Amino acid sequence: MAPPSHCHATNGGGAPQHNGANAVDAPVTRSARLLDAEEFRRHGHLVIDFIADYYAGLGEYPVHPSVSPGFLRHHLPLEPPPRREPDVFDAALQDVRSVILPGLTHWQSPRHFAHFPASSSTVGALGEALAAGINVVPFTWASSPAATELEMVVVDWLGKALHLPESLLFAGGGGGTILGTTCEAILSALVAARDRKLAVIGEDRIGDLVVYCSDQTHFAFCKAARIAGIRREHCREIPTYRDDTFALSPTELQAAMQRDVDAGLVPLFLCATIGTTQTTAVDPVGELCAVAAPHGAWVHVDAAYAGSALVCPEFRGVIAGVEAADSFSMNAHKWLLANNDCCVMWVRTPSALVAALGTEQEYILKDAAAKGVVDYKDWGMTLTRRFRALKVWLVLRCYGVEGLREHVRSHVRMAAAFEGMVRADARFEVVTPRRFALVCFRLRSPKNYRFAGGEKSANELNRRLLEEVNAASSGPYMSSGKVGGVYMLRCAVGSTLTEERHVREAWKVVQGRATSILRKMEIIM
């Protein structure tokens, strides 16, 4: 890709030269009207057309780009533009098309199976645009009353759609908020738990606090624990096993907590997961809550990916016992069409969040007469907040709960079909049972190859298979995981644009690359 011809400087040349006198003597031009309605209308049409064309042509892009680190610097100027250029917006969009898009991993591609989805919808995208255009800052009720109250309404709407217990909703004495990511949700809950515990045992004992998770829990949890002041060696990652489908064992948790108590330490927090990243394992929430309760440990349920599936009644069983949890979070941007970013967190005791994260200072926009209102600045880590509730409200209103159910079920059906294809080929095996729309599978090693190197050789074989699959110019793009010493391929169905034909085509590529690899092995051996 050549550098855009309209760029004012490139890495091959120098920056524009001028001296101080010329800069001072240059004629002063009228500033652009930065919120000009007609200019916005014209540019807005260009952007909508651009995105629509992008959606229509996504299937033609390689899902993952073949670029090297630093590639973009060779296509952009060394210095920012000194002044506005004629028709600059049109030219900038052309740069996006010719320079930026070819260097992206296209998460909305129908052939993107590597990660849990970052689902898009036209309503979600337009909701983002609407919120950006209005651009309010709803950190207190008074700063934008409708934004705060809409957020309160939609978190209860969504909680009901997900079949959450009433105790986590505003309607039942709990409540929810919309944050950016699961990382924020876990950290907010952890800080609330920490302060609640220290209020009882004394702040000088922060070094005695211990937190718990499984070895399948997302690394965001241990990162949050460090930020919250928990010692690194006090983050207990409890081993899981294939025989238990990599779910956290209540017996193992109980033993770990008792060991810490016997050592004079204080169990503080458990992060249970519904749908782990590697295999979508489901921790037994109710049983784990029963173990944590005698120690007064806070239980947070991380359902970042699989929480969306709860819109379907057939998945309600995976959160059995969640009414005993202290907090629950899920990412509506992963599978519920809300576009990045959108993590919703519910808590059973909002006062614990406010006690830990609230601020006492008066603000210019704080309405002293507004008593008993929710100020969302006290429910999370940030003060400046985005009006995310608007897009969630639009998604729920425009698609309805039934529409969201069909969206999730369609991906589950496609994943089940892919799983069936894997099982029908004796050369492959499904590593862990499929629960939602992720299939974990691998190529079995030929007996003589397995004998030559055991599990290590089998892992190398599948690592090679993944490389071959992802090297296919037409896709698909998949990822890997390693659990219980087993290296496996991950096929996560979830792109809004994915259809059954894309799943079938993906399997054909996997089969073809496997056949080629096995034939080469026969020649070598």
Side-chain angles (χ1 to χ4, degrees), residues 308-474:
S308 298
L310 297 175
V311 296
C312 304
E314 60 266 31
F315 288 113
R316 289 182 63 180
V318 300
I319 56 167
V322 73
E323 62 275 2
D326 295 278
S327 52
F328 181 98
S329 64
M330 57 80 65
N331 289 347
H333 64 243
K334 272 192 166 61
W335 208 3
L336 280 192
L337 302 173
N339 289 49
N340 278 324
D341 52 10
C342 189
C343 173
V344 188
M345 178 176 71
W346 293 265
V347 291
R348 193 152 47 95
T349 311
S351 59
L353 272 185
V354 175
L357 301 171
T359 54
E360 300 297 330
Q361 295 86 350
E362 291 296 319
Y363 283 82
I364 294 172
L365 293 179
K366 189 172 178 66
D367 186 351
K371 302 296 183 182
V373 299
V374 169
D375 286 337
Y376 272 123
K377 69 178 177 63
D378 300 333
W379 286 56
M381 308 307 299
T382 64
L383 300 181
T384 300
R385 309 177 71 251
R386 299 177 59 230
F387 190 9
R388 298 182 182 94
L390 187 58
K391 69 176 173 185
V392 180
W393 175 73
L394 279 172
V395 166
L396 288 170
R397 181 169 179 182
C398 293
Y399 298 129
V401 176
E402 285 297 333
L404 297 178
R405 285 175 183 160
E406 179 50 36
H407 174 69
V408 169
R409 284 170 177 160
S410 69
H411 290 137
V412 172
R413 287 194 297 269
M414 285 186 272
F418 187 88
E419 181 187 31
M421 297 174 202
V422 174
R423 293 189 184 277
D425 190 328
R427 300 175 301 171
F428 290 85
E429 66 175 326
V430 174
V431 177
T432 58
R434 179 195 54 79
R435 279 188 179 270
F436 305 103
L438 171 70
V439 181
C440 298
F441 68 103
R442 71 171 183 167
L443 182 62
R444 301 180 193 270
S445 296
K447 290 183 179 180
N448 53 348
Y449 190 63
R450 183 187 299 275
F451 179 79
E455 197 62 60
K456 182 179 179 181
S457 295
N459 289 344
E460 287 301 320
L461 174 64
N462 281 280
R463 187 174 288 110
R464 181 178 171 188
L465 174 60
L466 180 64
E467 291 174 357
E468 292 278 342
V469 168
N470 286 345
S473 60
S474 60

